[in-house]
Amino acid sequence: MPSEENPFIPGKPASATPEFEEPQCPQGPLGSKPDQSGPRPTTPTGADSADGQTEQAQQGEYHTTAQGGRLPDTNHSLKAGARGPVLLQDHHLREKITHFDHERIPERVVHARGAAAHGTFVSYGTASTVTKAGFLQPEAETEVFTRFSTVVGSRGSPDVARDTRGFATKFYTSEGVFDLVGNNFPVFFIQDAMKFPDIVHAAKPHPDREIPQAQSAHDTFWDFVSLHTEATHHTMWQMSDRAIPRSLRMMEGFGVNTFRLENAAGETSLVKFHWKPENGVHSLLWEEAQLTNGFDPDFHRRDLADAIEAGAYPRWELGLQVMPDSEDETFEGIDLLDPTKLIPEELAPVTSVGMLTLDRNPENYFAETEQVAFHPGHLVPGIDVTNDPLLQGRLFSYLDTQMTRLGGPNFSELPINRPRCPVNDMFRDGMHQTAVHQGVAPYKPNSLDGGNPFSSKGEHALIDVPQPVAESVKERRASASFDDHFSQARLFWLSLTGIERQHLAEAFIFELGKCYEETIRQREVKNLAAIDRGLCETVAEGLGLDVPQTTEQPAADVTASPALSQISGRWPVAGRKVGLVASANTPIEQITVVRKAVGDVGMVPLLIAPRGGRLGEGNTAVAVERTYSTMRSVEFDAVVLAGGIETSTAIDVLISEAWRHLKPIATCDDAEHLLEEPGIGLDDPGIFCGGGPEEVTKQLIAALAEHRTWARAEM
Ligand code: HDD
């Protein structure tokens, strides 16, 4: 057969003409610019994008080998004839495939799934009385990078799993990098880092089948937490609505461990860090979360990036709870070194010390979000650690883990990790060393490099707080004050509203209901008796278990902390999404009016129609953004039904789910009839009918400020 003839497509040559003809650059002398009329990358990307350095990873217009040789073709391997074997000498083929084969690095052992953004931290100066840290002094402005994460799932797991969220911020301060590596819960599962591998082994998928992914609803997790009662308080948070945030923009953050701050006069205090979101703290409902994981596994990541791109920059105030640095390191009887305990805000108010604004999405996920390396030991003068045994173990783990994850000790040279102040560390060589160090004497003292670099004893030196260490003996034992595992779990329970408690009890029933072993369920239900009899009875009933006969009594003298409830107040609505359902029969003015009212308050209207294309004619036509097959209620915070829509299953599902998930719904014109089939009353809370499109949309927006129509939950 002649080699030009394609055996499967008569009349076509063996190598079919590609549909896309790549524009060819005219040959030019080296260094000359090619014809730029063809398609070009929209953004020149490179190492400089992460930190403003000039070093480029991608230069020039020509496609080249890694050695810079210009390539004429990257679609065909070098063969002995068009149908012959591939030649070993094809360097471009081998280089391209070898590089690809090594593109992945190990994912984080925990917190593998994450999303991040760049921003700025502006200090109010209010912390200067307690710390000399430069970035917390009046008017200081610091570049930051924040990465949010789930803990248990792997890198490709869905975003809205029931889980703790990581909230880690890298401050590129003039005194060196400070990392605040926190979570969205103020407490942790365990009191000693020694148990961290154990809790993580228990929470990760079972080692035999590697299921379930990104979930705590399985036997090993509940086996561990029911046996380690110190995990009870954290488990209550994990079963609460806090574990399924509506958005990364709507989560609180906590440093969890207690830190020791030192001011310019050398005075110290014990401090807990808080992040308070400007958007308020809001959650999904459990059914909504489950649907979302299927409909859009990237829900949180998309929401964060979309909001930043739309200019609805998320903001958090950094706050401090400042406690005296007392000899016993307790406050109001609460041990400040026990990371399973929080300090109620009613006892130690949170003082705002600055504002974090995230205003720039990463340009390259791998270079920035994946390669960023946080460490609670990245400290600046004025912020020091305490003897919290969990924090002490963390100080070892984070550096160690980067050796495997980032392939050696030079990860701080990666653009995203580089300090934005001079670095002269005398570290040399090693895997992936990119610096060309000068001098011959990387040791101290030296005479050959003129004594460089010099030790710093001045103002900005990292001098450890000279904290006295108690005289003691070596022993593997926790302080007796760590023995109370239930009173703060009860405190959390008592602080929640009725609907929050109901969600929490339902979460226990769901999660324990997924366990195969009845002994585990029984053990956990018995633990609940020590928190609250009512909670224990509800969960036991839901699981079909007998209420345990136990002498364990809930702690009697616990006072609620209303600040822990997330249902109260009114919050900004910017960045929230409104589904606007319309059809070709809808008057275009209605669509325009609703879109404007929604857009005016910084929310995002998404036009839904039976099929794609545009609605309306000419200049006023509007593009359809979702069709009946590409939309689902979980994407929207509220729904507006325009006039001229026919009843359909898709619309029934949309409305029923929005109603069940306590979302405001507004109707224009004749759209009220759509509420009949799902059985929704026109007078139900959060249903806005009867006014003009602008009026009902404004009512809907006002309702959204409370996040959900909570009154409907009572029906
Ligand atoms: Fe951790 C990552 C937060 C206890 C060991 N941790 C990691 C991240 C966050 C936290 C937010 C992700 C950082 C990122 O986005 O890259 N971890 C916490 C908090 C804890 C905590 C708030 C308790 C107060 N962690 C903890 C202990 C250990 C670790 C007790 C081990 C002894 N954590 C790690 C780690 C990770 C990590 C294995 C995985 C990837 C990484 O560090 O860079 O070293």
Side-chain angles (χ1 to χ4, degrees):
M1 192 189 307
S3 64
E4 289 76 23
E5 200 174 310
N6 190 318
F8 300 106
I9 313 172
K12 289 275 178 192
S15 173
T17 312
E19 282 174 20
F20 172 71
E21 285 283 354
E22 198 181 342
Q24 295 297 311
C25 291
Q27 288 305 314
L30 284 177
S32 71
K33 286 270 177 194
D35 173 9
Q36 304 202 341
S37 56
R40 306 185 57 209
T42 45
T43 16
T45 52
D48 69 325
S49 53
D51 68 349
Q53 310 260 335
T54 50
E55 187 185 327
Q56 289 281 320
Q58 269 170 257
Q59 298 166 318
E61 306 291 333
Y62 291 103
H63 180 213
T64 71
T65 65
Q67 305 306 315
R70 287 186 191 175
L71 285 164
D73 177 341
T74 192
N75 293 322
H76 303 91
S77 44
L78 187 68
K79 297 187 282 286
R83 296 170 53 73
V86 172
L87 300 177
L88 183 60
Q89 73 177 65
D90 187 350
H91 176 72
H92 177 46
L93 172 73
R94 281 184 290 120
E95 186 185 60
K96 186 174 178 181
I97 291 185
T98 305
H99 194 279
F100 164 76
D101 289 343
H102 297 272
E103 273 176 12
R104 296 286 171 271
I105 60 171
E107 65 175 31
R108 288 167 174 82
V109 58
V110 281
H111 296 267
R113 171 94 182 155
H118 295 269
T120 309
F121 176 78
V122 179
S123 163
Y124 299 158
T126 39
S128 55
T129 50
V130 287
T131 179
K132 59 184 178 187
F135 80 100
L136 288 172
Q137 301 312 305
E139 288 169 35
E141 236 181 271
T142 307
E143 189 187 335
V144 299
F145 187 69
T146 298
R147 182 176 182 272
F148 304 101
S149 46
T150 49
V151 178
V152 176
S154 56
R155 228 185 106 177
S157 57
D159 275 346
V160 295
R162 176 177 290 286
D163 200 356
T164 312
R165 298 297 185 288
F167 190 140
T169 301
K170 193 174 278 297
F171 297 77
Y172 303 92
T173 89
S174 57
E175 296 174 309
V177 165
F178 169 61
D179 287 344
L180 183 52
V181 197
N183 281 341
N184 73 329
F185 301 170
V187 291
F188 205 63
F189 276 119
I190 47 170
Q191 297 166 318
D192 189 318
M194 183 69 118
K195 288 186 182 178
F196 191 66
D198 306 332
I199 171 67
V200 174
H201 290 166
K204 284 275 184 182
H206 287 219
D208 47 1
R209 304 184 193 179
E210 218 202 10
I211 52 173
Q213 178 56 246
Q215 288 177 47
S216 49
H218 57 99
D219 287 83
T220 52
F221 174 82
W222 286 100
D223 192 29
F224 183 93
V225 298
S226 61
L227 289 169
H228 286 76
T229 48
E230 72 197 53
T232 308
H233 189 191
H234 187 110
T235 306
M236 290 288 280
W237 281 75
Q238 179 108 354
M239 293 306 109
S240 80
D241 293 343
R242 300 265 186 158
I244 40 173
R246 155 64 182 85
S247 160
L248 301 170
R249 301 177 290 126
M250 300 170 196
M251 301 190 315
E252 263 177 308
F254 303 89
V256 183
N257 303 114
T258 303
F259 288 80
R260 177 169 277 106
L261 265 48
E262 188 189 31
N263 65 15
E267 296 154 343
T268 59
S269 45
L270 295 173
V271 163
K272 288 203 178 270
F273 288 101
H274 291 246
W275 288 114
K276 298 270 184 199
E278 192 183 66
N279 287 315
V281 187
H282 305 297
S283 292
L284 297 170
L285 299 177
W286 181 230
E287 186 196 43
E288 201 185 5
Q290 288 173 297
L291 291 171
T292 304
N293 273 340
F295 171 76
D296 183 7
D298 309 306
F299 185 72
H300 277 163
R301 181 182 280 212
R302 191 187 309 282
D303 170 272
L304 179 68
D306 280 357
I308 292 175
E309 203 167 281
Y313 301 140
R315 290 194 171 83
W316 286 262
E317 271 193 324
L318 180 66
L320 299 182
Q321 276 183 303
V322 181
M323 280 76 61
D325 192 355
S326 59
E327 204 177 328
D328 62 0
E329 295 164 316
T330 64
F331 181 73
E332 300 277 341
I334 303 166
D335 193 333
L336 291 165
L337 301 191
D338 177 355
T340 66
K341 305 278 175 5
L342 55 80
I343 305 296
E345 289 183 28
E346 292 76 7
L347 298 182
V350 178
T351 308
S352 303
V353 300
M355 177 73 88
L356 163 72
T357 305
L358 297 181
D359 56 8
R360 183 161 61 90
N361 285 315
E363 283 178 25
N364 183 279
Y365 186 90
F366 181 80
E368 302 170 69
T369 313
E370 193 58 14
Q371 294 203 116
V372 65
F374 293 95
H375 193 321
H378 291 167
L379 298 165
V380 287
I383 304 181
D384 205 348
V385 296
T386 57
N387 291 339
D388 171 344
L390 191 79
L391 179 56
Q392 291 284 322
R394 296 180 75 194
L395 295 174
F396 166 72
S397 184
Y398 289 69
L399 179 57
D400 183 48
T401 200
Q402 314 306 349
M403 301 298 155
T404 300
R405 202 170 72 78
L406 298 171
N410 289 317
F411 58 86
S412 58
E413 291 181 21
L414 293 167
I416 194 66
N417 295 324
R418 271 184 220 159
R420 310 295 194 253
C421 63
V423 174
N424 199 345
D425 55 15
M426 294 201 307
F427 301 154
R428 290 293 182 269
D429 309 342
M431 291 281 218
H432 315 302
Q433 178 59 261
T434 55
V436 182
H437 290 112
Q438 310 292 306
V440 295
Y443 52 82
K444 278 187 73 58
N446 72 66
S447 61
L448 292 175
D449 280 346
N452 281 295
F454 303 111
S455 296
S456 164
K457 301 205 169 54
E459 235 189 310
H460 301 290
L462 264 177
I463 299 168
D464 301 276
V465 175
Q467 187 63 19
V469 178
E471 256 184 48
S472 200
V473 291
K474 287 196 286 188
E475 53 187 337
R476 293 189 186 275
R477 200 165 64 85
S479 156
S481 57
F482 280 38
D483 288 347
D484 167 20
H485 298 168
F486 291 102
S487 63
Q488 285 222 339
R490 178 164 176 73
L491 181 153
F492 181 60
W493 170 255
L494 294 180
S495 307
L496 302 181
T497 58
I499 182 79
E500 289 170 301
R501 286 189 196 179
Q502 185 193 323
H503 290 166
L504 192 149
E506 285 166 359
F508 268 105
I509 295 168
F510 175 90
E511 297 254 323
L512 290 168
K514 290 274 191 168
C515 292
Y516 290 91
E517 295 293 331
E518 186 156 325
T519 46
I520 294 176
R521 279 184 242 151
Q522 276 168 339
R523 199 192 298 135
E524 184 58 23
V525 169
K526 197 165 165 221
N527 284 341
L528 296 183
I531 301 171
D532 187 83
R533 285 309 292 185
L535 170 64
C536 173
E537 281 162 16
T538 310
V539 176
E541 194 193 333
L543 294 169
L545 295 176
D546 293 334
V547 176
Q549 298 302 313
T550 169
T551 50
E552 200 88 56
Q553 288 303 318
D557 56 349
V558 175
T559 312
S561 165
L564 298 179
S565 164
Q566 59 183 87
I567 300 185
S568 65
R570 299 178 65 77
W571 304 94
V573 292
R576 284 175 178 266
K577 291 183 178 159
V578 176
L580 166 59
V581 191
S583 79
N585 299 325
T586 306
I588 193 69
E589 306 76 51
Q590 247 178 53
I591 298 177
T592 318
V593 165
V594 174
R595 283 173 65 85
K596 183 171 180 320
V598 168
D600 280 351
V601 290
M603 300 201 312
V604 183
L606 288 170
L607 183 60
I608 308 165
R611 57 192 180 81
R614 298 171 88 76
L615 296 183
E617 305 285 331
N619 287 346
T620 54
V622 186
V624 173
E625 283 139 326
R626 299 287 184 277
T627 65
Y628 284 7
S629 66
T630 59
M631 63 93 180
R632 189 81 196 233
S633 70
V634 290
E635 194 182 355
F636 315 114
D637 294 288
V639 174
V640 179
L641 304 164
I645 311 166
E646 285 175 24
T647 315
S648 75
T649 309
I651 295 301
D652 284 351
V653 171
L654 173 76
I655 299 174
S656 324
E657 284 177 359
W659 190 88
R660 213 162 56 242
H661 299 154
L662 317 179
K663 294 177 181 176
I665 301 172
T667 65
C668 313
D669 276 359
D670 63 345
E672 287 173 16
H673 77 95
L674 298 167
L675 303 180
E676 276 166 32
E677 181 64 32
I680 295 171
L682 301 185
D683 297 328
D684 285 358
I687 304 295
F688 305 104
C689 307
E694 188 174 355
E695 191 186 337
V696 290
T697 307
K698 286 194 168 156
Q699 288 169 339
L700 173 131
I701 293 168
L704 255 184
E706 288 178 14
H707 180 52
R708 285 181 203 275
T709 306
W710 296 110
R712 212 185 284 153
E714 315 285 326
M715 294 177 66

